[in-house]
Amino acid sequence: MTILFICSGNIHRSALAEEMLRDEARRDGRTDLRALSAGVIAVDGMEAAGEAAAMARQGGLDVSTHRSRPVTADLLAQSDMILMMERFHHEWVSINHPAALSRCRQLSVYAGEVSRTEGVLPGDDIPDAMGGDLKSFERSFGIIRDCVRRLYRDLPPAPQEVYARAIETRFRSRRHAPMTLSPADFALVESWWDRGIPLWIVLESIDHLFTKKEAAGMPARVHRLSYVKTEVEERFETYARTRSAGEAGAALPGASAEPEGGALLSQASRQLREAAGNARLRGQDEAAGIFDYAATQLDADPRGALLATPAARLRLHDMEEDLLRLFRSLAGEAALRELQGQAAIQLREHRERMTANAFEATVVRLVAERLKELYGMPPITQI
C-alpha cells in the first residue's frame, strides 16, 4: 500500500509525515507499506527545513536525506491513499488532477486528543510553522505525529505473510533466542489474522509482557506464543469496544442515535443515483455522469463501511465541495459571472452593513446554492 502526504513546499509538514509513517511501519515490520511525500508548489531537491529536521531528531526520526519534489500525475496515480495538510491542497488536486480526488482526504481526519488540545479538529488545516518560531514547529510536529499515529492504526491489516513474519521476528527478538514459531504458534497467528486483530496490538502485547518480565528480573524463558495470547485478546477487546463506541456516534440522552458511518455513505450514494436519473430526464447528461461517478466512489471504497460517523460526515462534506467545483466548471465562466451578479443584487440592500470579506463569502455561498438548484444536487451533508 502506498500513502502520499501532500503539503505546500514539501520541506516541513509532508516531509515529517512521510518519515513518521515510515518509522511506524519499519518498527512493526510492515514491509507492505510505502510512504511518499510531495508539495503542490515544491521546488525539486530542497532539504527539509532546519527547524523541522531538529524536531525530527528530537523525536527519534531522521529527515537528513529528504529532498523535496512537486506533486505529479505519476505520484498521484501510484498512491492508494493521499493525505492533505490543508483544504487548499485538496482544491489544487481537484483542479489539476480530479481523477485522484476519490483517494484524497485531510490528514486531520485522524486528529486525536493531542491535536484537539492544540486546537486542531478533524477536517481542520494542519498549521504550517514555516516563518514561525521554534514553538510553532513544536506544535506542528506534535499535531502531525498524533495524526500519523492514528492513521497508522486505522490502516487496512497487513497481508498474512507480512503479519506472521513481523510477529515471529518480534517474538524471537524479545526472547533473545533464534527459536522459530511452532505449528501451534502459527495456527494462533492465523487465528488472530482471521479475526482482524491489528498487528500493532500483537506487537505491543509482546513488548509489554517481556518488558514486565525483564523488569522483574525474570529470565525470558518463553517457549510458545500462547504466553501473550490473553494479553493480545484483552487488548483487542478493549480496542474493539472503543472503536464501536466511536462509530455509534455517542448520542446524547433522549436524542436519536446518529446513523453509523457506513449507513450515511450508503444513503448518500442512493441520493446521488436518484439525482443522476433526474438529471438525465432534464437532459443534463454531463451532470448525471458526475452524480453517477460520485456514487460509484462511495460504493467502491472498501473502508467506507468501517468509517466512524464524524469521518463519514467529513467525507460527504469533501464530496459536496468536489461536486460544486465540478459544477462550476460545467457551468462555465459566463454563467458563473451571471450568478455572481444575481447574488450581488440580492445582497444590495445589506451591502453597506457587510465587511468586504463577509460580502464575498456570502456571494460564494449564494452561487453555490444556486448551482445546487440548477443541477439538482442532493443535500448529502444533511443526512
Side-chain angles (χ1 to χ4, degrees):
M1 183 178 192
T2 298
I3 298 173
L4 174 66
F5 296 96
I6 290 178
C7 70
S8 299
N10 191 213
I11 59 172
H12 171 217
R13 291 170 292 176
S14 61
L16 287 174
E18 175 188 0
E19 180 56 27
M20 287 172 182
L21 183 60
R22 188 177 290 134
D23 184 62
E24 296 277 348
R26 186 166 50 231
R27 180 199 64 219
D28 288 354
R30 288 280 313 250
T31 55
D32 58 306
L33 293 180
R34 180 181 178 219
L36 303 172
S37 67
V40 298
I41 55 173
V43 176
D44 259 322
M46 293 186 66
E47 296 181 357
E51 297 90 342
M55 290 295 102
R57 284 193 298 273
Q58 288 181 23
L61 306 172
D62 181 9
V63 294
S64 61
T65 61
H66 173 80
R67 296 296 180 270
S68 63
R69 58 181 167 182
V71 178
T72 64
D74 181 60
L75 271 177
L76 293 169
Q78 64 182 280
S79 301
D80 301 293
M81 185 184 292
I82 303 163
L83 283 305
M84 315 291 197
M85 299 294 157
E86 300 177 21
R87 286 195 176 277
F88 160 64
H89 307 137
H90 199 126
E91 292 167 0
W92 186 91
V93 171
S94 72
I95 293 168
N96 295 282
H97 303 280
L101 277 175
S102 63
R103 288 169 284 127
C104 295
R105 67 190 64 181
Q106 297 283 108
L107 178 59
S108 65
V109 166
Y110 300 96
E113 287 304 314
V114 172
S115 301
R116 292 166 192 265
T117 299
E118 294 291 349
V120 173
L121 301 176
D124 287 349
D125 290 351
I126 289 180
D128 186 358
M130 295 302 295
D133 57 15
L134 198 57
K135 277 282 187 187
S136 299
F137 278 92
E138 289 175 355
R139 174 174 180 254
S140 183
F141 182 90
I143 293 167
I144 296 168
R145 170 155 270 184
D146 176 50
C147 291
V148 169
R149 282 177 170 167
R150 290 170 61 85
L151 158 69
Y152 175 73
R153 294 191 169 201
D154 200 50
L155 290 176
Q160 190 170 4
E161 66 276 11
V162 173
Y163 187 91
R165 184 168 60 248
I167 293 172
E168 181 178 30
T169 300
R170 184 66 60 85
F171 188 64
R172 289 170 61 182
S173 171
R174 295 311 301 257
R175 285 189 73 256
H176 307 296
M179 179 175 160
T180 60
L181 298 184
S182 70
D185 289 335
F186 278 113
L188 181 58
V189 170
E190 184 177 8
S191 74
W192 288 341
W193 189 83
D194 287 339
R195 290 170 56 193
I197 297 180
L199 176 61
W200 60 267
I201 286 182
V202 180
L203 300 182
E204 284 189 3
S205 299
I206 292 171
D207 286 341
H208 177 245
L209 288 178
F210 274 95
T211 298
K212 281 178 61 177
K213 200 173 182 64
E214 291 162 3
M218 300 167 65
R221 292 173 183 166
V222 177
H223 301 291
R224 293 288 177 264
L225 191 61
S226 56
Y227 171 67
V228 301
K229 181 176 184 291
T230 300
E231 176 90 359
V232 167
E233 298 191 354
E234 287 179 351
R235 283 176 178 250
F236 178 59
E237 285 175 12
T238 300
Y239 165 78
R241 283 197 303 271
T242 303
R243 189 177 181 85
S244 176
E247 289 174 357
L252 294 172
S256 59
E258 277 261 74
E260 292 185 0
L264 287 173
L265 300 188
S266 295
Q267 190 172 341
S269 175
R270 289 193 295 272
Q271 289 188 358
L272 290 165
R273 298 285 185 198
E274 183 178 342
N278 292 336
R280 287 192 179 88
L281 292 175
R282 295 191 300 269
Q284 297 175 321
D285 290 342
E286 288 179 286
I290 290 172
F291 286 134
D292 275 335
Y293 177 77
T296 299
Q297 295 307 301
L298 292 180
D299 294 339
D301 186 350
R303 292 187 59 254
L306 301 176
L307 285 181
T309 298
R313 289 201 177 281
L314 180 62
R315 171 83 188 276
L316 294 179
H317 176 81
D318 288 344
M319 176 166 280
E320 183 178 89
E321 292 296 314
D322 295 338
L323 289 171
L324 282 170
R325 279 189 284 270
L326 291 170
F327 286 137
R328 289 188 192 101
S329 177
L330 184 59
E333 291 185 9
L336 286 178
R337 282 196 297 271
E338 183 178 347
L339 292 177
Q340 289 164 354
Q342 292 172 1
I345 291 172
Q346 186 177 342
L347 295 172
R348 186 165 48 195
E349 62 182 280
H350 309 289
R351 180 68 181 89
E352 290 184 0
R353 299 191 297 276
M354 301 175 74
T355 65
N357 287 340
F359 177 76
E360 291 174 9
T362 306
V363 167
V364 169
R365 180 177 59 79
L366 291 174
V367 170
E369 292 303 318
R370 185 63 183 134
L371 284 171
K372 292 178 184 178
E373 293 174 9
L374 288 173
Y375 293 108
M377 183 169 162
I380 59 175
T381 60
Q382 299 174 26
I383 297 172

